[in-house]
Amino acid sequence: VNGLQARTFGVWTLLSSVIRCLCAIDIRNRTLYYITLFTFFLALVHFLSEVFIYHTAALTIGVMAPLMVASFSILGMLIGLQYLEVEALSQYKKKN
């Protein structure tokens, strides 16, 4: 890994964390919720491809931790998405 790749990965990680924090603050913002969910999918695909496609990483605790965080976060956000949809539907019914 050269310096440019390390900085790019660092900026990507920082951007993902900012998006995730903003979603935590405004969790009812559907667009932000979907973007946050996408960041977890992107992280999961990235780490899985490094392990199984490119073989540039081994399944150590340093790689398994982000895989588990991304997997559990995706699962939790998909479950939470159902509640977000129900809440949006109830808000729509109240207006009419």
Side-chain angles (χ1 to χ4, degrees), residues 28 30 33-34 78-94:
R28 289 181 178 86
R30 292 173 53 129
Y33 196 88
Y34 285 121
L78 289 175
I79 292 169
L81 186 60
Q82 295 175 351
Y83 293 104
L84 193 61
E85 299 288 334
V86 168
E87 184 178 321
L89 185 61
S90 67
Q91 292 287 337
Y92 178 75
K93 285 182 180 181
K94 285 181 183 179

Side-chain angles (χ1 to χ4, degrees), residues 26-37:
D26 187 13
I27 199 159
R28 289 181 178 86
N29 185 335
R30 292 173 53 129
T31 304
L32 190 55
Y33 196 88
Y34 285 121
I35 291 170
T36 304
L37 183 59

Side-chain angles (χ1 to χ4, degrees), residues 11-70:
V11 169
W12 172 72
T13 304
L14 179 63
L15 178 61
S16 294
S17 66
V18 168
I19 290 171
R20 292 167 188 171
C21 288
L22 289 173
C23 184
I25 292 169
D26 187 13
I27 199 159
R28 289 181 178 86
N29 185 335
R30 292 173 53 129
T31 304
L32 190 55
Y33 196 88
Y34 285 121
I35 291 170
T36 304
L37 183 59
F38 179 72
T39 65
F40 285 114
F41 274 116
L42 193 61
L44 183 66
V45 169
H46 168 72
F47 282 102
L48 286 174
S49 68
E50 291 299 329
V51 172
F52 295 112
I53 296 173
Y54 301 113
H55 304 290
T56 55
L59 275 177
T60 61
I61 191 68
V63 173
M64 290 190 64
L67 287 174
M68 291 184 346
V69 168

